[in-house]
Structures are given as structure tokens and as C-alpha cells.
Amino acid sequence: MHDHDTEVVTTNRHVLAWVGEMAELTKPDRIVWCDGSESEQRRLQALGEAEGWLRALNPKKLPGCFAARSNPNDVARVEHLTFICTPTKEEAGPTNNWMAPDQAYAKLRALYDGAMAGRTMYVVPYLMGPPGSPLAKVGIELTDSPYVVLNMRIMARMGQVAMDQLGDGDGFNRGLHSMSDLSAERRFICHFPQDNTIWSIGSNYGGNVLLGKKCLALRIGSYLARQEGWFAEHMLILGAESPEGETTYVAAAFPSACGKTNFAMLIPPERYNGWKIWTVGDDIAWMRVGEDGRLWAVNPENGYFGVAPGTNFNSNANAMKTIAKDTLYTNVAVSDDGDVWWEGLDNEPPENLTDWQGRPWKKGSPDKAAHPNSRFTAPMTNNPFLSPFVNEPRGVPISAIIFGGRRATTVPLILESFNWTHGVYMGATLGSETTAAATGQVGIVRRDPMAMLPFCGYNMGDYFAHWLRMQGELRFPPKIFMSNWFRKDESGKFLWPGYGENMRVLKWVIDRARGRATRRETPLGFIPRLSDLDLVGLDVTPEQVEHALRVDRDEWRAELESAGTFFETLAPRLPKALEMQRQLLLAQLG
Ligand code: SAT
Ligand code: MN
């Protein structure tokens, strides 16, 4: 009988040499090669319970579910401690923190020295993307966190499948992670795109340490995508199936707090009986040009790492079903009978809870029971509307791309670009307003190009140029749209109901992409005629919809000025075509 914990799943000499080198640096007491099996998962869950950071939940209510607690100082991504370590600062560009590679390696090497002493180093081979896909990438994460292993097993395809894809080659991402002492002073997330390497230390929070996600799939991914001629984007992917059985695939980028996961799991309203929205992905899209000249997308991930607060049966019933079993919760509140609770769940809180920090919490307490960024990690196979094509190696063909923001004014409910360059302009100038909860100041537009501001692993100007250049490869480019579910009237009331009713807008997008719906031309792009939108059964007047769709010249003059100010921050690498596009729109406004 073999000892499971010492089973080496590879003879790849590149992997073995690198693991040896990193172990020499971090000096773990032992090394465990992870295979992603259920027995391994059970062992790590038991370890977490014994160490006290993990709690098994009520198996009757939430079978296979656990709740983890983090260090209270370690609950979110840390953009100011996230670095792109390219040889020159120019390559990282003005939107990234930069450190010279030599300096970053030296600084972190000192921190990693002996950091795993007394601990176990887990070797986690993982695959991003469907097995056998031309887009799939192998990563290996070395971590001293069993919490990371439990999450990676859900978020990525883990174990032998990755080693099989790698073979005996050298083409894998080298990820090193140590919790170290979880001190914010010694916390760094460093990316070395030239070396396909990520070094993360001092945190145990998802986006900082599940290295396949933001670090590999977006930051390193976007860098490789530019080199290799594809796209790594912060986009959901959905398939909309009509009652006749025609499915149209749409990718969409929204900055945070704009309902991306909800849109990816949209439930069509009654009026759209017979329609089905299939989720391919809720966060990241890897896309390449197929031999047929269309854009094909895969979801590199295997699970959802979603925000718990606000998730309920009204906002996202499919998410609620997805997280009902085999889910790892982090920093939510837990009831005495082992159920979970968070702010914005349907029901009233129970009288007593254990809050996200492990303290007793009483109903009516002014403190939040769950952390506002508390999370669920759930296998995508739990999703009742998981696309049947999610494991398709070539992906799904994208007919439309939507860039959406949260804007009280200016941006129409839906706006179709004139052409690819105009569509790239829409993405490049994507903005979203800060909500009162976040900053205390409402209505400040933050530019978040393609929702990639924290995730683009190189110079943003070069990233735009890459988008523009890809048009030449696409014989059948997707149509590009801009959306805004959040426009308000003069009294501050939302003009559009949002959520499932966004299906009505999506339907127009699909029909436009398939060349069968009409539209109106405005100086800023195309919008639907009222008759192009099915408004039957909506508690909204035609006037309100007209307002939601309106292109107001004064608002747009200000918007185009503001985009110009943003573009100035990206000079000198901003493509001329985008500034000229801006000038053209200004001229068209008259
Ligand atoms: O905060 S994470 O990066 O882990 C998740 C997300 O923002 O999508
Ligand atoms: Mn995201």
C-alpha cells in the first residue's frame, strides 16, 4: 500500500527541480503532493477543524459544507501590495505597482527563507481551462496553507489532470505561496510575467493566494495573451437558449458591485418562458480566434468564488442552489445549529450567531455578523444552469461582448458600438460610480477599463493596442455593447428594474448580434427603438424606458471630456485610434 501523502504524481524533472529549490528556500518539515482526491479533501478538512479555523456545517441543511475564518486583517485583495515585476516600469505601465524583478526576488526571498519551517508544503498541480483545450494552462502552486488547497480543489481542475496536460515540458506557471506570519507589513503579491512566476506571501485571502484566479488567469494570462495573440479577460460568459433551441453566447465585463455573477446566472422572467440562460463562467474568460474567424471562449475556472452578502433567492436563486452543498464558506456568520447567515440573505437573522470573527453575535447588534466581503467557494457543477459546453476544449463562440457599469446618468441602458474600434473605446473608458456604502461620496466615476484595472498584467495602453490589433484576426468579430442597469430619474429612482428583466435587453443584444433586430442611430452609437424591446408585463412606462435609453448631448460632452482626462494618464502608450475615436464622437455630438 502506498503512502498517499508522499505519492509523487510526476517524473517531470522541471517540476521536481523547482519544487526542490523552493523547499530549500522555505524549509518545510514535509512536502505533500496533492492529487485533488476526496480522501485528501477529508484529511485537510479534519486538519482545519483540529486547528480551529474550519467548522463543519449542519449536514442536513448544508451537506458537505464548511465555514472557515480568516485573520481579521486579511479579508480582501490588497492592490497596493500587488506588483507587476517586469524588467522596466514602462512595461507595467501607470496603472500597476511595479518592482524590478531582481529587487522583488531578493526582497521576497528573505521573507520566504525558512517561512515554512514547522509546516507542510503542499504541491498543488492545477489546470486552468478544459482538459485538452488549446487555451488551457498548467500551474503548480506551492503553499503552506491547507485552506488554499481546499479552495484550489474547487476553483481549478486539480491533480493528475494537470500533470497529464503538462507532460514532461517546462510550460507551467510557478506559484509560490506562504502565509508566513500573516502580517500586513510583510504581505506581497508579486508577478513575474517573463518567468511565468507568481510569489505571494503574508496573506491567506482568495484573490491574493488562489494563484490560478486573478494572478495567473488575469495578470499573467493577459501578458501571455498579448504575446500569443488571444484574450484573458475579466468577463462572465453566458449562453442564452431560445425556446426554439438556438443558443447565443455573450461575454460581459462589469466592474465590481455591478451584478456580474447575477447576470451570469440570470433567471428569465415569466414573459420569457422557455428561455434558458446557461452559465459558462462568472468571472474570467479566455478567448481565442478560431479557424472559422469567430471568437471562442472558455472559462478557465472550475468553481465560483462569490460574495455572500446580498446573495438571496430574489437576487440569485441559482447561486443559492449552487452553494447548498459541498461549499466552503469564508467569514460568514454561523448559527448554533450550523447554518450560515449573512446580511442580505432572505430571512431574518436568528437570535444568536457566531460572527465572522468567532464572537457571539445577538440579533439587533449594530455590527455586521458576516464580513461584507465574506465568500463562498462552490463547485460549478452544483449550478443547475451550468452550460453543457463548459468542458468543451474549443470553448463557445462569442456573438456579443457587453461592457457594463453603474452610472446614475449619461450611459444608456444599452448602446451598440458603430464598429470594433468604437467598441474597444467603450471598454477602454468603462466607468462605474462608487456607491455610498463604499466611499461616502456618491457619483464619482472611477475608470476601470474593461473591468481590468487591477488585473491587467502590463501597460494599459499596450493592452488597448492589443484589443485593436485583434480585429485584424477576427473575420466575424462579436458586436460590442455598453450597458447600464443603474440609470436614475430626477428623483433618484432607478429607471430600469434590472435583475431578471435584463433578459429583455439581452434579447435585443442577441437579435442585433444575429442581424435581425432594428435600431436607432445616435451620435454615440445605436440604441433600440422602443418597439425593439419587449416591455409587456413590465411595471415601467415607455417614458421611463425612453429616459433610460436617452443620449443627452450635455451629459456626453462632459463624459467625453472626462474620458480625455483619463486618456492623458495613459499617454504616451495610448493608441492614437482611441483618442481619435473620442474626437470623432465629440465632433458627432455637434
Ligand atoms: O477578491 S477576489 O479577487 O478573490 C474575487 C473577485 O474580486 O472576483
Ligand atoms: Mn472578479
Side-chain angles (χ1 to χ4, degrees), residues 77 205-207 213-214 283 305 375:
R77 276 185 290 110
Y205 171 76
K213 193 176 178 60
K214 305 299 184 178
D283 196 35
F305 186 66
R375 295 276 170 164

Side-chain angles (χ1 to χ4, degrees), residues 548-574:
L549 289 169
R550 187 187 303 158
V551 168
D552 180 287
R553 284 168 193 265
D554 291 333
E555 285 179 349
W556 271 96
R557 225 168 265 118
E559 174 71 11
L560 290 161
E561 291 301 332
S562 150
T565 308
F566 173 62
F567 278 175
E568 278 165 26
T569 68
L570 300 179
R573 294 236 195 167
L574 181 85

Side-chain angles (χ1 to χ4, degrees), residues 65-68 147 151 154-155 205-206 210 213 261-262 265 282 303-312 315-316 318-332 340 342 345 371 373-380 382:
C65 293
F66 286 77
Y147 170 81
N151 276 278
I154 299 172
M155 293 306 296
Y205 171 76
L210 308 179
K213 193 176 178 60
T261 301
N262 295 347
M265 297 184 175
D282 81 323
Y304 309 121
F305 186 66
V307 179
T311 305
N312 60 54
S315 67
N316 197 335
N318 283 335
M320 291 300 288
K321 291 175 190 164
T322 301
I323 62 180
K325 62 173 189 188
D326 300 325
T327 294
L328 174 51
Y329 292 91
T330 303
N331 289 343
V332 299
V340 290
W342 48 76
L345 190 65
H371 188 276
N373 195 32
S374 53
R375 295 276 170 164
F376 54 77
T377 317
M380 66 179 180
N382 282 2

Side-chain angles (χ1 to χ4, degrees), residues 89-129:
K89 185 168 165 43
E90 186 69 30
E91 274 170 277
T95 59
N96 283 310
N97 301 309
W98 175 79
M99 231 192 283
D102 288 355
Q103 187 197 344
Y105 278 130
K107 185 177 188 130
L108 269 66
R109 209 176 274 281
L111 298 174
Y112 280 122
D113 190 359
M116 295 190 190
R119 300 183 188 175
T120 299
M121 172 193 273
Y122 299 93
V123 182
V124 180
Y126 64 95
L127 180 67
M128 301 304 286

Side-chain angles (χ1 to χ4, degrees), residues 124-317:
V124 180
Y126 64 95
L127 180 67
M128 301 304 286
S133 171
L135 281 162
K137 299 261 181 224
V138 174
I140 299 180
E141 176 165 356
L142 310 179
T143 178
D144 56 9
S145 166
Y147 170 81
V148 165
V149 183
L150 286 170
N151 276 278
M152 285 298 283
R153 184 177 180 275
I154 299 172
M155 293 306 296
R157 294 157 176 93
M158 187 174 139
Q160 195 60 43
V161 63
M163 284 306 183
D164 289 347
Q165 176 109 8
L166 179 61
D168 48 20
D170 193 19
F172 65 99
N173 180 272
R174 289 156 160 79
L176 177 62
H177 166 246
S178 173
M179 294 190 282
S180 183
D181 61 1
L182 290 176
S183 155
E185 267 85 71
R186 286 175 288 282
R187 183 173 296 163
F188 295 97
I189 296 94
C190 290
H191 305 72
F192 305 88
Q194 275 83 356
D195 305 337
N196 197 4
T197 292
I198 305 157
W199 279 14
S200 169
I201 190 163
S203 172
N204 205 25
Y205 171 76
N208 300 330
V209 301
L210 308 179
L211 300 184
K213 193 176 178 60
K214 305 299 184 178
C215 300
L216 172 54
L218 288 179
R219 296 199 192 93
I220 300 275
S222 61
Y223 180 94
L224 296 175
R226 172 167 174 257
Q227 275 187 339
E228 300 167 4
W230 50 283
F231 290 106
E233 299 299 329
H234 192 200
M235 289 179 180
L236 65 90
I237 310 164
L238 63 78
E241 184 183 340
S242 74
E244 294 76 37
E246 174 195 78
T247 304
T248 307
Y249 293 94
V250 175
F254 300 127
S256 56
C258 292
K260 196 152 134 235
T261 301
N262 295 347
F263 193 56
M265 297 184 175
L266 185 147
I267 296 176
E270 224 166 274
R271 176 77 183 158
Y272 283 80
N273 260 339
W275 281 81
K276 294 190 187 94
I277 302 298
W278 300 102
T279 313
V280 181
D282 81 323
D283 196 35
I284 298 172
W286 281 357
M287 306 189 285
R288 70 184 182 104
V289 182
E291 269 158 33
D292 60 0
R294 290 192 288 175
L295 188 62
W296 291 77
V298 302
N299 168 15
E301 300 191 283
N302 197 41
Y304 309 121
F305 186 66
V307 179
T311 305
N312 60 54
F313 273 99
N314 286 321
S315 67
N316 197 335

